[in-house]
Amino acid sequence: MITYHSYNSLKRFDLGYLLGRAIEKSQQIVKFAIAVLFHLSNVFAEFPLKELYCHGPSFLGLEEDFLPRICARITYHGDPEFWSLNMGEYQ
């Protein structure tokens, strides 16, 4: 049997509120996890690839080459003069 005290405690227990808070917290955790994954992909994939393209690998003959010339080789669009004027598009 349920005593009056137990019944009164259960009556004040708002399940809808607790479920709402749990859903909010789980959404925050998922958003944080996605943000961390994007940051890690930027650090471990995008940044090294960008550095590789900007400074070029030595085995392809692009090491320490003029950056607009590298852009022209990679994109097959324009020449080094074009890329020297439009460097914002590459970076």
Side-chain angles (χ1 to χ4, degrees):
M1 278 189 94
I2 298 177
T3 63
Y4 175 75
H5 181 65
S6 300
Y7 174 75
N8 199 19
S9 297
L10 286 175
K11 199 164 71 172
R12 287 183 287 178
F13 183 73
D14 189 4
L15 186 61
Y17 172 76
L18 289 177
L19 286 176
R21 292 288 292 162
I23 290 171
E24 287 175 12
K25 289 296 180 184
S26 63
Q27 288 174 344
Q28 289 175 350
I29 290 170
V30 168
K31 287 179 185 178
F32 177 75
I34 290 172
V36 167
L37 288 175
F38 274 106
H39 179 71
L40 289 176
S41 72
N42 186 22
V43 169
F44 291 112
E46 185 179 338
F47 180 73
L49 288 175
K50 188 175 181 181
E51 288 297 311
L52 180 70
Y53 277 136
C54 288
H55 300 291
S58 60
F59 62 87
L60 292 179
L62 297 175
E63 186 176 27
E64 298 299 322
D65 203 355
F66 185 54
L67 194 54
R69 193 174 309 137
I70 293 173
C71 298
R73 284 186 195 172
I74 292 172
T75 62
Y76 300 107
H77 178 74
D79 53 3
E81 290 80 24
F82 169 81
W83 282 108
S84 63
L85 295 174
N86 298 303
M87 207 46 155
E89 296 293 324
Y90 178 73
Q91 294 174 347

